[in-house]
Amino acid sequence: MRYVLVIGAGGGIGKGTIGVLLKHGFSPLAADVVLPELMSVPMFEVDVCSPESIDSLFSKIEGQGIELTGVVNLSGIIRDRTLLKMEKEQWDKVIDVNLTGSFNVVKRAAIHMKRNTENTDSEVTGGSMVFVGSTAALNGNFGQVNYAASKAGIQGLVRSAARELGRYGIRVNCVIPGFIDTKMTQSIPEERVEALKRTIPLRRAGSPEEVGNLIEFLISDRSSYITGASILVDGGMRM
Ligand SMILES: NC(=O)c1ccc[n+]([C@@H]2O[C@H](COP(=O)([O-])OP(=O)(O)OC[C@H]3O[C@@H](n4cnc5c(N)ncnc54)[C@H](O)[C@@H]3O)[C@@H](O)[C@H]2O)c1
């Protein structure tokens, strides 16, 4: 069995990714702060902001004798406000979930994967982790200083973790979605959506499965020589 833990699994990209992983023969485990409605895979409650919650999730998984080949962190939030109106609380919350949450996940996942690699009885060597950035970090985005900063931070975290963990056969990569059709983007007014689509060479929003396809590739051995990379899945928006 090739087990992959997907955190933030209840969101649009999470569900799409779980579907793609299942199609490719992986065994996904779903985790989220709000338990997703009944899914066909094992589900766990977790809050990425809490190192204790992350540790308890991994301990539960390890207690079931599961060795993960992949960990995907899709958890993320927005609290949009223009810079001059943004309260520190909105800044802190987004940094806490998106960036500190990613640190909590990468650290505990690294402990798990390194342990597997060093255990001669283990069936799993190394592993692959995937985190999520955003084109907002590359272009900047109106009303998103907090979100853009958190996503830029994730890219730095991923590159540094990749440098440290490569020696254990652990790969760490970042996917950078552009405009994807999920709950997170459904609150954008229709006219802004239409204007946004005109800036995308493929002239449409991406689907969660199209992001899932890239994530599945990065988890699989087909990407065995890719680490520390940030890969766009944005219909050409950022070119
Ligand atoms: N949709 C897009 O266009 C887009 C573009 C670029 C990047 N992204 C990123 O992709 C990821 C997934 O986005 P989505 O569109 O599926 O969003 P979504 O809002 O549908 O899903 C996000 C999930 O994260 C979970 N979550 C929030 N706080 C959490 C916490 N403290 N602990 C654990 N889980 C938590 C939520 O419950 C939710 O299920 C996010 O990180 C988002 O920033 C999305």
Side-chain angles (χ1 to χ4, degrees):
M1 300 279 255
R2 292 176 301 160
Y3 289 101
V4 181
L5 173 63
V6 181
I7 303 174
I13 296 176
K15 287 180 191 143
T17 300
I18 285 189
V20 175
L21 287 169
L22 285 168
K23 211 165 76 187
H24 285 81
F26 285 98
S27 301
L29 311 172
D32 204 296
V33 72
V34 182
L35 275 186
E37 69 273 19
L38 210 58
M39 292 175 115
S40 57
V41 300
M43 291 187 295
F44 301 86
E45 203 174 328
V46 75
D47 179 358
V48 292
C49 302
S50 154
E52 292 78 23
S53 175
I54 292 285
D55 186 50
S56 137
L57 167 66
F58 274 83
S59 298
K60 261 184 228 152
I61 290 169
E62 288 162 352
Q64 294 177 23
I66 291 173
E67 295 169 333
L68 299 166
T69 60
V71 172
V72 181
N73 181 27
L74 298 168
S75 62
I77 59 164
I78 48 174
R79 294 286 184 275
D80 293 0
R81 207 95 205 263
T82 53
L83 171 63
L84 296 178
K85 291 187 183 149
M86 188 172 289
E87 303 289 342
K88 182 164 181 297
E89 194 198 339
Q90 291 158 326
W91 168 269
D92 285 344
K93 187 67 194 162
V94 169
I95 297 294
D96 200 26
V97 175
N98 298 4
L99 185 54
T100 309
S102 294
F103 163 72
N104 292 334
V105 172
V106 76
K107 185 170 176 191
R108 186 57 178 85
I111 292 169
H112 174 87
M113 289 178 175
K114 181 171 178 278
R115 208 180 274 157
N116 290 343
T117 302
E118 288 167 350
N119 176 2
T120 47
D121 294 333
S122 171
E123 288 175 10
V124 177
T125 305
S128 173
M129 298 185 216
V130 178
F131 292 83
V132 197
S134 168
T135 47
L138 309 177
N139 297 331
N141 206 16
F142 198 90
Q144 290 199 320
V145 289
N146 50 0
Y147 182 75
S150 73
K151 292 299 188 177
I154 288 174
Q155 283 187 258
L157 177 146
V158 160
R159 291 185 186 123
S160 305
R163 283 196 185 275
E164 291 190 21
L165 300 176
R167 71 198 66 184
Y168 308 115
I170 301 170
R171 299 184 295 110
V172 191
N173 289 293
C174 186
V175 301
I176 306 194
F179 177 52
I180 310 300
D181 190 10
T182 69
K183 196 174 66 205
M184 191 175 264
T185 49
Q186 273 156 14
S187 58
I188 303 175
E190 188 57 32
E191 68 224 41
R192 252 193 88 197
V193 168
E194 287 314 310
L196 200 57
K197 282 184 188 166
R198 285 195 289 277
T199 69
I200 303 172
L202 292 180
R203 290 288 191 273
R204 62 173 178 86
S207 71
E209 290 73 22
E210 286 172 312
V211 181
N213 284 336
L214 175 58
I215 293 174
E216 186 278 327
F217 169 71
L218 288 171
I219 290 296
S220 78
D221 287 342
R222 289 170 3 259
S223 59
S224 51
Y225 202 53
I226 301 177
T227 195
S230 292
I231 304 180
L232 287 157
V233 49
D234 70 342
M237 187 163 92
R238 161 69 185 168
M239 265 193 300

